[in-house]
Amino acid sequence: MVKANIGTEEAIKRWNRFADTYSATHTEQGDIHKEVFLNPTLFSLMGAVNNKKILDAGCGEGYLSRMLAKSEAKVTAIDYSPRMLEIAEERTPKDLKIDFRHGNCETLNFFEDEVFDLIVSNMVIQDLANYEKAFQEMYRLLVDGGCFIFSILHPCFVTPESGWEKTKEGKKLHWNVDKYFYEGAYEQPLGDKEKMILFHRTLTSYINSLIKTGFVLESIVEPKPSIEMLKKYPSFEEDFRCADFIVFKLKKKS
């Protein structure tokens, strides 16, 4: 269902309520989609992270921050959900030096300019009403030549009212896309009870906003399951039919 005029504050409230249920599905590799699609792509795009100052922008329960810290990165992690941060800190061993902070990617005034070598934002930008402001903040916080890598649900395929067309027996015929050019909030069921707020934009809006902010586009990846992951999780064969996610790598001009 489309929900006009809903902002980030409502999304925060719902993520707070959903934090424990969400975190219960996460191992040290994240959830299954992160393990299969996003982690291999993110780490490939990041390259060597040791000794780099990295911001995990929207860390959730903190699995990616922990993976980065174990790779000897200097990690700062923020999330706008207080409950998510509590869980992240509970799950993080004391010997992993991660600086957890409460903050919304749209406004990170407590950070000075140009403090991070790399910013990674994993499945977060779609949870923000003001994505343009978030991009501006990421640009401000990066050193010259620094990189911003972020993943989102693929806006061309995961739209308000998208989903599988099925036979009466439940066989998946094809993936339906609808309301692609609608931009704004909509509800997406997650778990048994909670409907999360997501913010949809077109691919045009994302790319033009990044260019306007000043970023140079270095790479776009639409992740597919690897042969190794298909052996482990054969059901992901259907993910060759359309892309679930898209990952961007941007560079701040030096």
Side-chain angles (χ1 to χ4, degrees):
M1 181 185 293
V2 172
K3 289 278 191 181
N5 301 320
I6 285 184
T8 302
E9 286 304 316
E10 179 61 26
I12 294 171
K13 290 176 186 174
R14 297 195 190 195
W15 272 114
N16 252 345
R17 293 198 299 264
F18 190 57
D20 288 86
T21 303
Y22 173 84
S23 299
T25 67
H26 280 58
T27 68
E28 285 307 297
Q29 290 283 320
D31 65 18
I32 192 170
H33 288 90
K34 295 185 176 88
E35 181 186 352
V36 173
F37 297 97
L38 296 170
N39 296 348
T41 302
L42 293 171
F43 279 93
S44 173
L45 291 173
M46 283 190 279
V49 298
N50 53 304
N51 294 319
K52 286 188 176 179
K53 292 181 180 177
I54 299 180
L55 175 65
D56 186 356
C59 64
E61 55 74 62
Y63 91 91
L64 185 59
S65 294
R66 291 188 288 276
M67 292 179 77
L68 291 167
K70 287 173 185 174
S71 299
E72 300 181 4
K74 298 171 183 175
V75 183
T76 302
I78 61 161
D79 203 273
Y80 64 16
S81 162
R83 180 58 191 145
M84 277 292 193
L85 277 178
E86 288 175 7
I87 296 168
E89 295 194 73
E90 288 165 6
R91 290 186 170 193
T92 300
K94 292 289 183 279
D95 62 332
L96 281 182
K97 305 297 184 188
I98 299 170
D99 180 12
F100 287 104
R101 309 258 195 114
H102 179 242
N104 178 350
C105 292
E106 297 166 333
T107 310
L108 296 171
N109 297 332
F110 48 85
F111 290 129
E112 295 180 4
D113 296 353
E114 301 180 7
V115 287
F116 297 107
D117 303 308
L118 171 67
I119 298 174
V120 60
S121 187
N122 191 19
M123 301 299 289
V124 174
I125 300 297
Q126 69 229 345
D127 299 324
L128 303 171
N130 195 340
Y131 71 110
E132 293 117 321
K133 187 70 169 63
F135 288 162
Q136 290 161 17
E137 283 291 81
M138 302 304 111
Y139 193 87
R140 177 181 72 81
L141 295 175
L142 281 171
V143 299
D144 288 347
C147 287
F148 173 40
I149 297 169
F150 74 95
S151 62
I152 53 173
L153 292 166
H154 201 307
C156 298
F157 301 107
V158 184
T159 65
E161 300 180 30
S162 63
W164 285 107
E165 183 82 20
K166 298 179 182 179
T167 64
K168 290 178 182 177
E169 295 74 33
K171 181 184 176 184
K172 293 173 180 175
L173 297 172
H174 53 261
W175 182 262
N176 290 327
V177 172
D178 199 7
K179 292 189 165 56
Y180 173 69
F181 284 105
Y182 165 80
E183 299 212 352
Y186 70 103
E187 287 186 326
Q188 180 74 24
L190 280 180
D192 295 331
K193 299 175 183 176
E194 193 64 73
K195 289 184 178 178
M196 306 310 292
I197 297 293
L198 297 178
F199 299 91
H200 180 258
R201 300 107 193 175
T202 63
L203 194 58
T204 296
S205 292
Y206 274 118
I207 292 176
N208 284 345
S209 180
L210 290 162
I211 292 168
K212 183 180 177 183
T213 302
F215 282 112
V216 176
L217 182 59
E218 288 219 327
S219 185
I220 293 177
V221 180
E222 295 164 302
K224 302 189 294 280
S226 66
I227 292 169
E228 293 75 25
M229 285 298 173
L230 279 178
K231 286 177 183 174
K232 190 174 180 180
Y233 304 112
S235 65
F236 281 104
E237 182 71 39
E238 71 179 29
D239 286 83
F240 287 101
R241 298 173 72 176
C242 72
D244 295 324
F245 308 101
I246 189 167
V247 186
F248 296 83
K249 180 177 182 180
L250 297 309
K251 193 168 187 177
K252 182 175 178 176
K253 297 174 188 176
S254 54

